Amino acid sequence: MGIVAIPKSIHKDRMASNFNIADFELTEEDKETIRRMDTGKLKVDFNDPDMARYLLEYDKKFNPNS
């Protein structure tokens, strides 16, 4: 199962920048470095109560109306 990061922005210039994925190129060395980082395990344990509290506070800070 792959995990994809979806960038969020409400600013048009940042959204355009986020969609511009063809403005760089990964070398084979870059790709190998990324492959070595993949341990096959999630980095975040969403069942951890401390992580849940952190994420809830983070959301309140950046999305005060939700």
Side-chain angles (χ1 to χ4, degrees):
M1 174 173 77
I3 297 175
V4 177
I6 300 174
K8 175 196 172 274
S9 183
I10 59 171
H11 304 283
K12 283 186 177 185
D13 57 329
R14 289 187 190 152
M15 284 189 242
S17 176
N18 289 340
F19 279 111
N20 189 7
I21 62 169
D23 65 342
F24 72 97
E25 191 172 318
L26 295 175
T27 66
E28 284 304 315
E29 182 180 353
D30 294 333
K31 293 174 189 178
E32 183 55 34
T33 298
I34 293 168
R35 275 189 216 97
R36 284 195 309 265
M37 286 191 229
D38 182 8
T39 63
K41 297 179 183 177
L42 289 174
K43 305 293 186 223
V44 177
D45 180 0
F46 293 103
N47 295 313
D48 177 0
D50 291 330
M51 179 56 69
R53 277 190 289 281
Y54 170 80
L55 292 172
L56 288 169
E57 290 304 314
Y58 181 89
D59 188 57
K60 285 179 194 173
K61 180 178 177 182
F62 292 100
N63 297 299
N65 297 326
S66 64

